[in-house]
Amino acid sequence: TIEQFFILTRIEKVKELLVYDELSLTEISYQTGFSSVHHLSAQFKKVTGLTPSHFKRIAADKRKYLDRL
């Protein structure tokens, strides 16, 4: 449905912002239009199967920093 598409699009933006690691989860939820951090976390887990913090940890572990190449 269009609602699911809209949620998936917002979750992809959340993933992007989590990987950049410049904003808090509160700021991310506000910027992506979620009513609260709790709502964002619930939707994120429903879509990805992971909590935002777990996703962030996994992404950080996989990231290759230029100074370590």
Side-chain angles (χ1 to χ4, degrees):
T1 66
I2 191 73
E3 182 182 4
Q4 289 171 325
F5 174 76
F6 187 60
I7 290 169
L8 290 174
T9 303
R10 287 166 52 195
I11 294 297
E12 287 303 314
K13 183 63 177 176
V14 170
K15 287 180 184 179
E16 182 182 328
L17 293 171
L18 285 170
V19 169
Y20 288 148
D21 195 27
E22 295 176 358
L23 302 172
S24 70
L25 203 51
T26 302
E27 292 168 317
I28 291 172
S29 68
Y30 176 75
Q31 281 196 7
T32 53
F34 287 94
S35 59
S36 67
V37 172
H38 177 73
H39 186 226
L40 163 64
S41 296
Q43 287 294 315
F44 193 91
K45 184 156 186 166
K46 186 177 178 182
V47 170
T48 66
L50 303 168
T51 63
S53 59
H54 189 211
F55 176 85
K56 190 174 183 176
R57 221 174 305 123
I58 290 170
D61 290 344
K62 290 183 179 182
R63 186 172 181 189
K64 295 183 188 224
Y65 294 93
L66 290 175
D67 61 340
R68 296 185 189 163
L69 292 177

